[in-house]
Amino acid sequence: MIREADLIRQFTGLEQHVLVTWIEEGVIAPHRDEAGYLFDRIDQARVALACDLHYRMGLEHASLPVILSLIDQLHDARRHLKALTRAVAEQPDHVRHEITIHVARTHRTTDE
């Protein structure tokens, strides 16, 4: 984990008041101790993404929580899909075959 000052030094253009705003708005949720904020790797990656979206792509501060929430939802869906894929892969051949048929049938129905 790293401290706030070390984190700010990693990102060109990131200002301390902007980081604090992101924390207050829940965009970033670092740990905190008596000496201040502590940022783990996930926090650092989230700050990097927020910086890219805001500074490089021009996304307004107010839009960041919405966009990052959608990205979080995509990551959750991807994690659940991976778990489901592993569970299906562990099933006997005939069960996997039936699942494949059902999914193909459902996919055709929703496309119509």
Side-chain angles (χ1 to χ4, degrees):
M1 290 211 212
I2 64 171
R3 293 279 174 199
E4 183 177 336
D6 296 324
L7 180 78
I8 291 171
R9 278 194 289 275
Q10 287 182 11
F11 298 100
T12 304
L14 177 60
E15 298 170 282
Q16 195 265 343
H17 73 92
V18 172
L19 179 61
V20 169
T21 299
W22 290 347
I23 293 168
E24 290 171 351
E25 293 176 352
V27 171
I28 312 298
H31 303 276
R32 190 170 192 157
D33 65 10
E34 61 282 345
Y37 293 113
L38 287 165
F39 299 85
D40 60 22
R41 288 180 184 221
I42 293 173
D43 298 325
Q44 293 172 54
R46 199 163 178 87
V47 169
L49 178 57
C51 285
D52 283 345
L53 291 170
H54 178 66
Y55 293 111
R56 292 193 181 130
M57 297 180 185
L59 195 69
E60 294 296 321
H61 286 288
S63 301
L64 280 175
V66 174
I67 298 300
L68 291 174
S69 174
L70 291 171
I71 291 170
D72 291 343
Q73 290 174 41
L74 284 173
H75 282 286
D76 285 345
R78 184 172 180 235
R79 188 176 66 249
H80 285 104
L81 187 56
K82 280 184 174 184
L84 180 60
T85 301
R86 281 191 300 272
V88 169
E90 293 171 0
Q91 300 306 308
D93 287 342
H94 71 280
V95 173
R96 289 196 318 266
H97 179 71
E98 289 299 319
I99 292 170
T100 302
I101 290 170
H102 179 76
V103 169
R105 191 177 308 129
T106 303
H107 183 69
R108 278 195 305 266
T109 304
T110 58
D111 285 345
E112 295 175 355

